Structure formats: C-alpha cells, structure tokens
Amino acid sequence: MCGRFALTATPDQTAAFLGLAELEDFPARYNIAPTQPVLMAHAGPPLAPGSNLPDRQAMLVRWGLIPAWVKDTREFPLLFNARSEGAAEKASFRAAMRHRRALVPASGFYEWQQTGGKRGQPYWIRPRHGGLLAFAGLIETYAEPGGSEMDTGAILTVHANTDIAHIHDRMPVVIHSQDFARWLDCRTLEPRDVVDLLRPAQPDFFEAVPVSDLVNKVANTGPEIQVRGVVGPEPEKVRRQKPGADDSQMTLF
C-alpha cells in the first residue's frame, strides 16, 4: 500500500518532470497523508493545430477517492489506494480508470514493516539513483449534496517487488516518463490498452532506508523524518503495585 509519501522537489523541477507548462509555488512536503491535498497531472483538452503548449494540466485533489455514486461520505471508506488488479472492473474505480487516469509526482514513499510489536519499523523508500518518480493515479470529481464539487484521487498499487516485499506485500505503481503519454491518454486508450503498465518497479529501482517513528505523526513535516534511524523495542509495562506493598513479601491480594 502507500499511506504516506513525500514531494520535496521544486515546482520547476516537478513541472519539467511531468511535462507541464508551469506550476504555482509550493513548499517541500515530507509527510503527505490521506485526506490532504495532493498534486496530480492529467491530460488536458485537445490543443489547437500547431500549438506547442504542453497537453497536460495539474490539479490539486483530496487524497481519498470518492466515487460519484456515493450518497453519504460519512459511511464510505477512505479509498486512498486502489488495487490495480481488477480496478478497471471495480465499481469504485471503473469510471476513473477509463476517463481520468493521472500521474502523482513524488520523491518517494513510506512503508512500515511489522515486527510483532505494536510499533512497526518505518522505511523511507526512494529511487536508488535519486530524482522524481510518478505514481499511477486516478481522479474522480464528487458532487456534494449541497451542489459544490470536490476533486478526489487515489494511488494505484501492485504486489511488491523484491526491494519492498520484506517490508510490505504492496507498493505503488510507478509510471516511467516514456509511458506518461500512454497512461494519460484516456481519449484513445482504454484500460485494457495500458494494463501492461500496472506492474511492480524493476528490482533495484528503489532503496529502503529505515527511519525513526517521527513519520508516524502527521504533524511532523520536516526533513528530520527522513533521517536514518531504528525504532527500538517497546518499553515493558510496569506492573501496578498497591501502596505499601513489598515485592519481597508474599501477599494474598
């Protein structure tokens, strides 16, 4: 799965990577979480003949897709991830897979390895050779009962490759730059035409860096959450003792 990620590149770097004309200024974000706004790029309307402008547009969406048919969002689960296997047939994602495929720029993502205790070991997972990457995303515009509209989105996931499998069994789908146009082309390419892109990243594409549990709190948003670190064992619970009791003596209570 992908429940946290980061985007620390500059707006100019991000725009150049995605093939966008420009992006409004934004700060580095080290701990992006579900329900927060995330940047996504999608195919724009057809350009006039001879235009040399980029055919992609950027938008901010709420991370947590809400299908158009949902009646009460309070009773609907938070769909921040979408399993790529069967997404084209699943009611929640079918329309977005056909009409609103997107790219989610990122510098990397976080995953937690469960070690048997309550506290898992978090990892900062980034491209081994640095730079930006793009997750496969989906966009859905939800019309609220009051009439206002809200753009929402999800990140597609796939079974983990050998870099990630020892940490978690799922990972986000990575779309490489040479495949951006195919993935975003919802006018001429149906989901079955791009299903080959929904695969794990090649082995050795990522490196996983253990970090402290600072990333666990959404309020922690600085670069310190990516510093290498190991989560220690949970402290043993201290057995409650009655006032005046002496461990060296036997008691009936």
Side-chain angles (χ1 to χ4, degrees):
M1 62 180 295
C2 177
R4 300 281 179 83
F5 70 99
L7 176 59
T8 59
T10 66
D12 287 345
Q13 290 170 333
T14 306
F17 174 69
L18 294 174
L20 298 168
E22 61 181 353
L23 284 171
E24 293 185 7
D25 193 31
F26 59 80
R29 300 177 67 191
Y30 290 89
N31 199 2
I32 303 172
T35 73
Q36 293 181 352
V38 299
L39 178 68
M40 291 196 182
H42 62 99
L47 297 174
S51 173
N52 60 357
L53 294 174
D55 61 351
R56 296 169 193 164
Q57 297 179 342
M59 63 189 300
L60 286 176
V61 309
R62 170 191 181 268
W63 188 14
L65 187 143
I66 305 176
W69 45 262
V70 170
K71 294 285 191 279
D72 187 351
T73 59
R74 294 171 298 180
E75 298 180 358
F76 194 76
L78 184 63
L79 301 179
F80 56 91
N81 285 165
R83 295 177 71 93
S84 59
E85 305 90 341
E89 289 78 38
K90 191 173 178 62
S92 296
F93 309 116
R94 186 167 52 232
M97 276 290 292
R98 177 64 187 89
H99 301 291
R100 291 172 291 279
R101 298 189 295 268
L103 298 169
V104 185
S107 302
F109 67 101
Y110 302 94
E111 194 53 84
W112 282 258
Q113 181 185 51
Q114 297 306 313
T115 56
K118 291 182 179 179
R119 296 192 299 176
Q121 171 63 56
Y123 284 83
W124 163 235
I125 301 173
R126 62 191 180 190
R128 187 174 298 275
H129 301 295
L132 280 163
L133 60 115
F135 300 142
L138 300 174
I139 295 174
E140 185 70 83
T141 300
Y142 177 72
E144 297 179 301
S148 61
E149 292 186 342
M150 175 172 55
D151 295 316
T152 69
I155 293 173
L156 285 158
T157 66
V158 69
H159 62 273
N161 67 6
T162 53
D163 297 333
I164 313 299
H166 68 288
I167 301 172
H168 198 277
D169 62 351
R170 304 290 296 179
M171 67 186 298
V173 174
V174 175
I175 304 294
H176 296 285
S177 56
Q178 64 268 26
D179 298 316
F180 284 179
R182 280 186 60 207
W183 174 250
L184 295 179
D185 183 2
C186 296
R187 289 191 289 270
T188 64
L189 298 180
E190 297 185 10
R192 65 171 180 266
D193 300 318
V194 294
V195 69
D196 61 297
L197 301 179
L198 304 178
R199 60 181 184 267
Q202 291 294 317
D204 294 328
F205 179 81
F206 284 112
E207 64 175 349
V209 179
V211 295
S212 75
D213 57 4
L214 287 174
V215 68
N216 293 6
K217 293 185 178 180
V218 178
N220 295 330
T221 58
E224 65 276 3
I225 69 174
Q226 294 179 355
V227 174
R228 185 180 293 269
V230 177
V231 175
E234 294 181 72
E236 294 185 7
K237 292 183 178 179
V238 178
R239 183 170 60 88
R240 290 186 176 181
Q241 192 175 42
K242 290 186 177 181
D246 185 348
D247 278 345
S248 66
Q249 298 180 3
M250 297 181 65
T251 177
L252 297 177
F253 304 101

